[in-house]
Every structure is written in C-alpha cells, then in structure tokens.
Amino acid sequence: MDLQNLEYINRLLDKDVDLREKIKDQVTELDKKTRTLSGMLNKIHSTPTGQLPSLIDSVTPYLESCRETTAALAELIPPNQFWRWKDMWSFSLRNAVFSATLVEFLRNGSLLSLSQASEVLGIKDEWQDRFALSAEDYLHALISLVNELSRLAVNSVTLGDFEQPIKISFFVKDLFAGFAMLNLKNDTLRRRYDSLKYDIKKIEEVVYDVSLRKLAPAKLNRE
Amino acid sequence: MSASLVASLSSRGSIINVFEHFRDELDDYHDRRERLIKSSRDVTSLSKKLIFLLHRTMNEDLTEHDDHALSLRAAARAKPKLQEIQNLFANMSEELPDDRFWRYQRNISPGLQEYIEALSFAHYLEFRRLISYEEVQRALSDETGKPYFPLPLEDYLLGLSDLTGELMRYAISSISRRRGRSKASEVCMFVRGCKADFDVLTPYFRELRKKQAVTAQSLEKIEDVAYAIAVRSSEYDIPPELLDDIVDRTVSNSVHNYDGDDHNRRRRGGRAKDDGFEDVDDE
C-alpha cells in the first residue's frame, strides 16, 4: 500500500474511532438515566394506586433529562449517518421510550405515540438524518411496556386495586390488535411479538379471577 | 408535560391507524432490503466470473511470453465487465439516497467486497500495485464524479484482503510459465507487504482479523513453492533460462487444465516440477 493511501485510511479511521468513543460516552450517560428511570418505575409494583400520580411526577424530571443526551448525540452524528451509528444506542433509547410510554399509560391510560415519545425525549424532526426514533425501536419499547403491564396487573391486585387489571387488559388488547396489523419478518421484533400472547394470557387470568369474585366494579366493562 | 399537547392514542381505532402506518414503513424496508440483497448477489456473481476471466487470460496463451502483454489483455477484457457491475451499483444507488445507505450497508457489503476484489485484481495486473481507497471510490461514482454512495472503509479493506488469495492462485498457476518463478517471488513480496499493512489495521475490524489468517495461509503457500524451487534449482547448476525451457516443455499441457481448486492446482504444480527434473535426469 503506498504511503499516501495508508495515511488517508488512517485519517478516516482515526475520525471514526474518535467519534465512536464520543458516542459511547453519551450512550453510557443515557444508560445511567434509563437505569435510574426503571429503578424508580419499579416502585409502581409496590405503590398503592392513590400514590401513583406523585410517583409519576417525581419520575418526569429524570425522563426529561434524557433530552440533554439526545441533543448531544444529534450534535455528534455527521449528516446522513444516523443508520450507521444507531445500533450503538438502540438498546438504551428503547429503555427510555419504554419508560416514557409507561408514564403516559399510568398518567392518562393511553398510548404515547411515536411523535409524542420523540417530543418527551427532546428528539427534533430536523435531526432526521442524524438522530431519530425509528419505528422499530418504538415498537420494541411497546413490547417492553406490555411485558411490564402484565406484571403490574398481578401486583395491583395484591395491592388491592382491582380496576387496574381491567384497564390494562383493554389497553393491551388494543395494542395487540395494532401489532397484528404488521407483516413481521423473522427478526427480533417478531420473536418478541410472539411473547406478547403470554402476557395477554396472564392479564386475562387476572381479570378472570377478579371478575369471578366480583371484585371489580361493573362500570369499567366497556359499554 | 408538553407532550400532552399532542393527542395521545386512546381508542383502538387510532391505534390501528398508526400501526397501519408502521406496517407500510416496515414493508417498505423489508422489500427494499430484499431487492438490494438480490442486486448484491448479482454483483457477487459477476465479480466472481470476472476474477475467473482474469485468471484464464493470464494462463491461456502459452506462446505469449510477454507477461505485460497478457496483463494488458486481461485489463482490457476486464473493463466492460467492471462497467457492467458499476452499472448495477448505479441502479442500487437510486434505492439509497442520503441517510438510507447506512441502513442497508450490511446488505450490500458482500457484493461490494467481491467487486473490490475483482477490481483490485484487474488493477494489480495492469499497474502492479494496490488500488487506493480513493481510486475505488472514484470507480463507484457517476460521470460527474458524484459517488453512488460513500465507500465504507471496512468493505475496502476486506475486499483487498481477499485479493491476496487471488494473487496466491495467480502466482502458483503461473509458476511453470516462462519467468514464472520471478513472477511468483514478486507476488510474494507484494502479498507480504499487504499483510504487514493490514496487520496494523486489524484491531479496528473484527472481520479483517479473520481474513488475515487466510492471507497468512496464502502467503505461506507461495513461500513454500518459492522454497521448493530454490532448493531444487540449486541441485541443478543450470541458468534460469534453460530451466525455463525444460519446465516449459513439460508442463505446458497441465496448466491448461486449471480447475479452480487450490489443492489440486498446488499438487499438479508440484508434480509438474518433478516431471521437469526427471526429464533432466533422462537426458
């Protein structure tokens, strides 16, 4: 290899190595935040429903602190290279989105849309080719949400809240109907989607137990 | 939270609605991916054919003793084939505007590497040196010099790493030709240089580390052959030109039956040499 070419290659390489390091630092930051978030949100399984709103409020600032990291990442990524680097933070970002969707469900009982999730995490539309929330990552986060809600259905009954499982059941069935619209290939999303039915089964069993014993108020059953 | 300004999805209808959108997006992704994988396979198959064509050209004409003339013939034959492959890349680039390239990079990289292997082989035969990163990027650009897509450094290096295997084949199959032995040692030096250059870069590319092992093997094969020749020629105190004549006479037929299999070729090469020396004994 002639010297000029070798130098050129080394320059390219140094640039990439440098960028990778910087991205890694930010991803570590994001990881720290999402770990704090999931630690806090784990308390929903032991918090009586009445106290959930204050728990949710205490989580919100941590959720919004992710905005600094997403902005830093968007700053780092060169134009048009979003897909080149995105695997580095996919996992952490999915966790952040999962927390955001869980907060939205607990607060309003509804599904946080992709654009809302981007907004919560401060991801701007104009970053599209550098940093964005991809449909795939969003869908992965939704599956984590269902996994978590099936656990919550069980634990809310233990805490004496018999309405929560029924709310969860409606919500998860709607989501499942949504997932059924997709043509999934044999990838990780497909495998995780296949796991949803076990979550639904678990939730259904809780709802069955609760209704059988007439523990839940009848008004909640959808007209 | 500001997010609550945008309506969240609370009815099944609205949820189904957004998932329909996701379905279109995922379908588009999977379909494009399939198309690009198919194109990448076409590139691979054309590149492999081109590599065989180059080997054939370098070995077909036993009356042509000017290696340079053969190389130019090979390079000239390669031109239209390379153009054909470049056209495939031009078509693929339409599927890959802006940020989309990196999403599908892994799907097209097998073809890209095979193409770089073929391109660098043709380049080596013509100029006797390694094609540079910028030269490959230029080959992957339209008439105005606009790249079809950015050339990933990894694909460039992995493509070149495969070149060493082709050079080993080239060196060994041409060893029985006139001046083939000096050719082999020239290639040997060149491959040694490549290996040393790549060794520095292996920490950055996992795939390259694996390929380096193959390169080391190729290098060893060439070295073994060079050794065998050095040892045997020392037994017979004759000038290299005379040895050329003897070897030429005896092995010209077997070289024709090039079948692409390393092991066989190597064995045949070895036996051809033995035959040559037996002839000397008989005389």
Side-chain angles (χ1 to χ4, degrees):
Chain A
M1 221 183 273
D2 58 52
L3 201 64
Q4 198 196 351
N5 189 38
L6 209 57
E7 273 172 9
Y8 191 85
I9 287 171
N10 277 322
R11 259 205 314 279
L12 282 181
L13 202 59
D14 286 345
K15 227 167 62 185
D16 285 355
V17 169
D18 189 47
L19 182 55
R20 188 179 297 275
E21 285 304 312
K22 286 184 180 150
I23 296 175
K24 213 185 269 170
D25 290 346
Q26 289 303 326
V27 172
T28 312
E29 269 309 295
L30 188 59
D31 260 341
K32 264 188 230 158
K33 288 171 183 169
T34 57
R35 235 173 280 133
T36 313
L37 276 169
S38 49
M40 293 176 85
L41 284 169
N42 238 321
K43 292 191 195 130
I44 59 171
H45 298 287
S46 52
T47 306
T49 313
Q51 292 163 31
L52 273 182
S54 62
L55 174 65
I56 295 304
D57 286 343
S58 69
V59 168
T60 308
Y62 289 93
L63 201 52
E64 286 176 352
S65 74
C66 292
R67 292 174 184 181
E68 295 155 29
T69 319
T70 55
L73 280 167
E75 185 71 27
L76 282 175
I77 309 303
N80 289 332
Q81 293 198 5
F82 166 63
W83 291 100
R84 182 175 184 191
W85 305 103
K86 101 170 245 295
D87 285 349
M88 291 184 68
W89 62 74
S90 266
F91 182 76
S92 321
L93 186 62
R94 284 172 196 176
N95 283 338
V97 174
F98 155 70
S99 297
T101 53
L102 181 59
V103 164
E104 172 68 14
F105 173 78
L106 293 173
R107 184 175 282 157
N108 301 317
S110 51
L111 173 65
L112 192 72
S113 70
L114 189 147
S115 54
Q116 281 175 308
S118 304
E119 208 177 315
V120 172
L121 300 172
I123 301 169
K124 301 205 171 78
D125 280 346
E126 61 260 34
W127 298 346
Q128 203 61 42
D129 65 333
R130 288 175 290 141
F131 194 90
L133 174 55
S134 72
E136 204 194 345
D137 287 339
Y138 173 71
L139 293 171
H140 270 284
L142 293 189
I143 292 174
S144 306
L145 175 66
V146 174
N147 297 156
E148 186 72 6
L149 289 180
S150 76
R151 226 185 112 205
L152 182 62
V154 173
N155 291 328
S156 55
V157 170
T158 315
L159 288 169
D161 182 353
F162 305 117
E163 289 178 28
Q164 190 73 296
I166 295 171
K167 274 195 246 165
I168 290 173
S169 164
F170 284 134
F171 178 76
V172 167
K173 273 189 202 158
D174 287 346
L175 256 186
F176 192 69
F179 271 101
M181 301 297 296
L182 305 176
N183 301 315
L184 294 172
K185 296 273 169 190
N186 223 353
D187 52 13
T188 48
L189 194 58
R190 167 64 182 271
R191 279 195 290 280
R192 295 198 64 208
Y193 162 76
D194 286 341
S195 78
L196 284 183
K197 56 180 179 290
Y198 301 108
D199 292 316
I200 290 179
K201 182 164 168 278
K202 195 159 146 196
I203 296 167
E204 283 311 291
E205 279 166 4
V206 175
V207 170
Y208 175 78
D209 286 341
V210 168
S211 349
L212 193 69
R213 295 171 178 79
K214 298 200 166 45
L215 293 168
K219 67 168 171 64
L220 256 171
N221 291 324
R222 214 177 254 186
E223 38 276 287
Chain B
M1 211 184 311
S2 57
S4 11
L5 292 174
V6 192
S8 50
L9 307 163
S10 47
S11 71
R12 177 172 290 207
S14 58
I15 291 179
I16 299 263
N17 216 331
V18 293
F19 271 81
E20 270 173 356
H21 178 75
F22 291 142
R23 178 179 60 201
D24 294 343
E25 204 180 316
L26 289 178
D27 284 354
D28 177 73
Y29 164 70
H30 289 304
D31 294 346
R32 196 182 306 275
R33 188 174 160 272
E34 295 285 328
R35 285 197 297 275
L36 287 165
I37 289 175
K38 211 173 148 285
S39 304
S40 168
R41 281 205 196 111
D42 292 343
V43 169
T44 305
S45 127
L46 283 174
S47 304
K48 282 204 156 80
K49 282 183 193 150
L50 172 54
I51 291 168
F52 275 108
L53 173 71
L54 291 171
H55 278 303
R56 258 196 318 272
T57 309
M58 295 311 290
N59 279 304
E60 64 181 2
D61 192 352
L62 288 163
T63 56
E64 177 61 83
H65 290 314
D66 182 3
D67 199 62
H68 188 61
L70 276 180
S71 299
L72 290 182
R73 193 189 294 171
R77 282 186 186 170
K79 289 258 151 64
K81 302 277 173 195
L82 285 169
Q83 190 54 49
E84 201 180 326
I85 304 173
Q86 278 147 13
N87 292 342
L88 283 178
F89 281 120
N91 292 336
M92 284 156 91
S93 76
E94 283 162 28
E95 296 258 31
L96 303 163
D98 307 325
D99 67 321
R100 213 180 264 157
F101 169 73
W102 285 106
R103 185 170 197 186
Y104 299 90
Q105 185 254 332
R106 259 166 291 190
N107 304 127
I108 63 169
S109 96
L112 186 54
Q113 287 175 23
E114 203 70 33
Y115 163 73
I116 292 169
E117 180 182 342
L119 178 69
S120 59
F121 190 30
H123 190 90
Y124 175 81
L125 292 178
E126 192 172 354
F127 304 106
R128 299 284 150 182
R129 48 178 207 85
L130 206 58
I131 192 164
S132 76
Y133 175 89
E134 280 166 306
E135 283 165 323
V136 177
Q137 178 72 80
R138 218 172 298 141
L140 290 168
S141 303
D142 62 16
E143 305 82 36
T144 64
K146 184 179 170 290
Y148 295 138
F149 43 76
L151 169 63
L153 191 53
E154 185 170 15
D155 288 333
Y156 167 70
L157 292 172
L158 292 178
L160 289 189
S161 187
D162 289 335
L163 168 68
T164 57
E166 296 313 323
L167 290 180
M168 180 271 293
R169 258 166 231 173
Y170 163 59
I172 292 181
S173 58
S174 66
I175 213 147
S176 49
R177 296 179 64 90
R178 190 161 283 273
R179 288 207 305 283
R181 289 177 300 283
S182 68
K183 185 101 299 162
S185 70
E186 186 189 322
V187 170
C188 189
M189 295 284 282
F190 183 81
V191 172
R192 220 174 261 154
C194 288
K195 187 178 173 298
D197 286 338
F198 293 164
D199 266 336
V200 186
L201 300 166
T202 44
Y204 305 103
F205 304 98
R206 191 150 36 96
E207 280 293 310
L208 190 60
R209 207 171 314 153
K210 282 187 233 155
K211 294 213 174 183
Q212 273 299 87
V214 181
T215 300
Q217 262 173 19
S218 300
L219 185 57
E220 214 175 303
K221 282 183 193 170
I222 307 177
E223 285 170 347
D224 285 351
V225 172
Y227 161 82
I229 287 167
V231 167
R232 288 180 196 182
S233 5
S234 72
E235 290 171 20
Y236 304 93
D237 189 20
I238 45 173
E241 296 78 33
L242 192 58
L243 201 59
D244 267 342
D245 284 339
I246 298 162
V247 176
D248 212 19
R249 208 170 343 118
T250 11
V251 300
S252 56
N253 293 329
S254 59
V255 177
H256 273 298
N257 306 324
Y258 173 81
D259 61 5
D261 179 88
D262 268 353
H263 181 66
N264 279 345
R265 194 155 359 97
R266 194 175 168 197
R267 203 175 36 136
R268 195 183 302 127
R271 197 173 56 212
K273 266 177 275 126
D274 290 344
D275 289 346
F277 289 114
E278 272 158 28
D279 271 2
V280 178
D281 284 342
D282 289 341
E283 277 164 358

